[in-house]
Structures are given as structure tokens and as C-alpha cells.
Amino acid sequence: MGFSALVASALCTFLLPLLLFLAAVRLWDLYCASGRDPSCPLPLPPGTMGLPFFGETLQMVLQRRKFLQMKRRKYGFIYKTHLFGRPTVRVMGAENVRHILLGEHRLVSVQWPASVRTILGSGCLSNLHNGQHKHRKKVIMQAFSRDALQHYVPVIQEEVSACLAQWLGAGPCLLVYPEVKRLMFRIAMRILLGFQPRQASPDGEQQLVEAFEEMIRNLFSLPIDVPFSGLYRGLRARNIIHAKIEENIRAKMARKEPEGGYKDALQLLMEHTQGNGEQLNMQELKESATELLFGGHETTASAATSLIAFLGLHHDVLQKVRKELQVKGLLSGPNQEKQLDMEVLEQLKYTGCVIKETLRLSPPVPGGFRIALKTLELNGYQIPKGWNVIYSICDTHDVADLFTDKDEFNPDRFMSPSPEDSSRFSFIPFGGGLRSCVGKEFAKVLLKIFTVELARSCDWQLLNGPPTMKTGPIVYPVDNLPAKFIGFSGQI
């Protein structure tokens, strides 16, 4: 082969791909710059847009919290990036978040990444808009009324007590996070979807738990549905869940009255559809049920695991919880097994503050997604029409001026009421505005019952000390929080 042929071969092998890559990067830069709305005089927020097509999705998925903390330190409370195939502005801080959350339907609208919309489906509450969203939320809220919650209390107490009894016999090491997920899954299956304990074998329950974990791991992935991709795996897991839920729906349709003495959220949705003379849409019901299970067990499992971690690290706080229980007659003596109810739970103010402080430091959901309906101005920058907007819950808690000694676990900070205007968007573990979490009162009741039963029956030691937390997409401990549980002596 002659010298010229070698040069030509080298050019084709090395130089041409390099030139194509540089051209792609330049075109990407031009595409990103062209997103600015020229009719608005304000600049785009600072930030970087990453690699062509992929943007900064891979860094965010792999590094999660480390990536987000680096961005906040470098660019402040509002910055641009490119995630899940879309130009995106990430927003934090009470005042900035207030504009986003109160701008629903006027400035922004909910729009989760394409992978989330594909896996969860267009018929679930999170993906509905305007009148459809309002209508569906009103129906589901019936399942979270105070009367409904009162019906749920003994069911939750029964499941939690049985679970903690197993933990006490588990030996020198128990992995807390997987156990809590199984507990919260059973509770959600019974209360939200009306599954009775006899309906699921341990193997069947474990299969569903594993399917949910696989689906959730792949919720936030690149929108590429090919074998072995994240989206492909997420859809396959979702189909397993849908098949089991459809069995339950058909069983409900064959029965005339609910078995548990109360109507679960799925039953209410079915009755509403039938009562309006509408054709029963099986796909929408399956999507709604899947969303309820996701919201009803993954987030509460994250929060309950964080509660165990914080109380395990701060024994003085645990003792204050026990003192409150003792004052209410819930800790020792003949009332040790006293059945809880809504009135008793509402009196446990300090226990409620422990839950709030846990949600402040470790909110299960790190943020929410919106899309700009028109070019809007925020904090001296423009957010162009059509761009995604992520409001950050965890960062907003971290930077809130309302809280002093932000890194300290101090439930007493919530004992004194804060001015409504300053606190409303500084503490947003359940979001806010029209799309605040539909099940937040259910979550509060569940976590309070869990805390009461834990405090009055168990002592425990965290075997690895303070856990390292990761987001994927729900916050969880990297080591699954190994701990040793022993029975509580009753002495404080």
C-alpha cells in the first residue's frame, strides 16, 4: 500500500470521526443557544448542556446527589442543563419554587420525562391535566378523608406490630430498607387496592415487590425502547404488576360489597366510573392502581427507613418520643397494647415533629417536573416556552433561611409555629399547589403509627453507623441500613 493510501486510510479512521464529532458538538451548541426566546431581554440561566443528545442525563443518573450538589455550588439557585432528551432549568429556593408551584396551568404544566409517562401511562393522576386532573384527584381524595383514615389505623397497626415482632427475632443483623419496603408494600396493597393477606403467597408478594423495584429503577431512563434498555426493563416489570392488578379488579367486579368494611381507593375509582355510566377502562384503572402503589409504599418506605436511621443516631430524641407516649398512656402498663385512633395520633405533637424533621433532612422525592407553557421570567433569567422545569425539594430544604443549623437533626424546631408566609415553600416534602401529594395525610398517619409502634417495642443499633444516602429516584441507604433489633425494656 502506497504512502497516499496510508494517509487516506488514517484520515478515514481517525480524522473523519473526530471532525464529525466536533461538528456534532458545534451543532449541539447552536441548538442549545437557539433555545433562547429573543422576545425576552433576559438571558438564559447559567449552566452547561452536556453531550449531544445525551445531555447530562448519564452524569445525573450515575452520580445523582453528588452531581446536583456540584451544580448548585457552581451555578446557584437556578441553572440550565439537558436531561432525558429535553432542555431543562432546575430551580430551588422558597421564592423561586413558589412561582413554579403556584403557576400551574398558567405558567407551567406537569410534564414528567418521556420514560416516566410511558411506564406509568397517560391515564394516571400525575399525567392528567386541568379538569381531568381535578376530577380524578377529587375521587381519589375520598380514600384519604379523615373517616377513611380512621378505618385504616387498625390495619396499619396490625401490619406494623406483626412486622416488628419478626424483626425482634431476626438475629444479629437485619437489613432495614428491604424489610421496610415489604411492610409498606403489604400495607399499600391492603388499604389502597383492597388486597387481603390471604390473596398473596410470600413468593407472589416477593415477585410483585421485585417487579416494582425494577420498574422504579428504570422510571428515569433514556426514551429508547430496545431490548435490555432501561425503558424496556421498566415496561416489562410494569406488565407483571398490571397483570396482578387486573386479577384484583376483575375479582372486585365479581363482588358486590368490599371485604374489608371500607372502600379502598381502587374501589372508589371503579364505582365512580360505573356510576357515571362510563365504560370501564381497564388500562386507566391499572395505571391508576400502579401509581397508588408506587406513591403509597416507595415514598413511605424511604421515610420510615430514614426515621429508623435518625432515631438510631439520636437516642435523646427517641427518649423524648417515649416520654410523650408515656404521658398519653401508650408506653407501659395495661395500655401498652392500646389501640390507636385518629384522635390519639393527632395529640402526639412531638412525634409529628420528628416525622417533619426527618422529611426535611431526607425527603423521599427529591423534586418534581414541569414544562413552561410560555416564556417566563424568574430570578433575573428567562425560561423559554417548551423547556422542562425541575423544582428541587431537597435543595430548597437545604438552602431555606427559615432553618438554623440546617444539618442538625432537631425536631424541636417544628414545635414553635413559623410564620405561614416564610414557611410555606421552605418545607415542601409533599410538593405544593394544585399538585401537592394526594396521599400526604395517609403518609403522615402511616409514619406516625410506625414511629409509635417502633418506639414502644424496639431498641436498635445501626451496625454501620450513619448511612450514606442515594437517590434512585427515591432516597434510600446505599448499605440497606443493617441494624440489630432487641426488645424495648419499657424504662426511659
Side-chain angles (χ1 to χ4, degrees), residues 133-432:
H133 175 266
K134 183 179 179 181
H135 180 67
R136 181 73 60 81
K137 185 174 182 178
K138 184 178 179 181
V139 174
I140 294 175
M141 285 296 292
Q142 296 176 61
F144 302 120
S145 67
R146 194 179 188 280
D147 287 344
L149 293 173
Q150 178 61 59
H151 282 293
Y152 304 155
V153 170
V155 177
I156 297 170
Q157 192 174 6
E158 174 193 332
E159 289 285 355
V160 172
S161 297
C163 179
L164 294 180
Q166 292 178 353
W167 292 9
L168 292 173
C173 178
L174 178 127
L175 295 179
V176 170
Y177 183 53
E179 293 296 326
V180 172
K181 276 198 292 186
R182 278 191 281 273
L183 168 64
M184 296 304 173
F185 190 78
R186 284 195 300 273
I187 292 172
M189 289 284 280
R190 286 186 67 179
I191 286 176
L192 301 180
L193 303 190
F195 276 77
Q196 297 303 309
R198 65 179 180 276
Q199 287 180 269
S201 66
D203 289 342
E205 181 183 285
Q206 184 60 27
Q207 182 192 30
L208 273 175
V209 171
E210 290 174 358
F212 253 94
E213 290 176 357
E214 180 72 1
M215 184 188 82
I216 290 158
R217 269 195 301 271
N218 294 290
L219 264 183
F220 294 87
S221 54
L222 289 171
I224 305 171
D225 185 12
V226 296
F228 308 112
S229 69
L231 182 58
Y232 176 86
R233 293 195 300 270
L235 287 170
R236 187 174 58 181
R238 183 209 62 186
N239 291 339
I240 294 172
I241 297 162
H242 276 195
K244 185 62 179 176
I245 289 172
E246 183 169 346
E247 285 181 25
N248 189 44
I249 291 172
R250 296 196 181 282
K252 283 178 178 290
M253 291 168 65
R255 293 194 305 265
K256 296 299 182 185
E257 294 295 331
E259 289 190 36
Y262 62 86
K263 294 179 180 178
D264 54 76
L266 181 57
Q267 185 78 35
L268 288 167
L269 278 173
M270 290 172 60
E271 288 184 1
H272 178 79
T273 304
Q274 293 167 328
N276 283 3
E278 302 169 16
Q279 185 176 358
L280 195 65
N281 187 322
M282 182 63 75
Q283 184 63 25
E284 287 187 358
L285 284 171
K286 289 190 292 186
E287 290 172 358
S288 293
T290 302
E291 182 182 35
L292 283 168
L293 269 183
F294 169 53
H297 93 277
E298 278 287 335
T299 54
T300 52
S302 171
T305 302
S306 295
L307 267 167
I308 291 173
F310 284 126
L311 291 175
L313 294 168
H314 300 275
H315 195 256
D316 58 321
V317 175
L318 177 59
Q319 292 295 80
K320 289 182 74 171
V321 170
R322 287 171 171 161
K323 286 179 181 177
E324 181 175 65
L325 298 181
Q326 188 177 53
V327 169
K328 300 300 179 184
L330 296 170
L331 188 62
S332 59
N335 288 329
Q336 169 68 40
E337 300 302 323
K338 179 179 177 181
Q339 291 295 307
L340 300 173
D341 58 33
M342 287 297 293
E343 184 177 354
V344 171
L345 291 171
E346 288 165 353
Q347 294 171 9
L348 300 177
K349 302 299 183 185
Y350 184 75
T351 303
C353 292
V354 171
I355 293 167
K356 285 183 178 180
E357 181 70 341
T358 299
L359 295 176
R360 182 187 72 85
L361 281 169
S362 189
V365 179
F369 284 78
R370 300 292 188 268
I371 187 172
L373 296 175
K374 61 181 181 180
T375 297
L376 57 106
E377 300 179 2
L378 187 66
N379 202 26
Y381 300 105
Q382 66 160 276
I383 302 178
K385 177 181 178 180
W387 280 40
N388 279 354
V389 181
I390 298 177
Y391 73 89
S392 173
I393 293 173
C394 54
D395 287 310
T396 296
H397 289 181
D398 286 348
V399 303
D401 293 332
L402 178 68
F403 305 121
T404 57
D405 301 319
K406 296 181 178 64
D407 295 333
E408 181 183 341
F409 183 74
N410 177 23
D412 287 281
R413 73 174 80 244
F414 285 101
M415 290 296 284
S416 301
S418 301
E420 180 67 20
D421 288 344
S422 63
S423 64
R424 185 177 175 191
F425 293 97
S426 295
F427 179 66
I428 50 169
F430 300 103

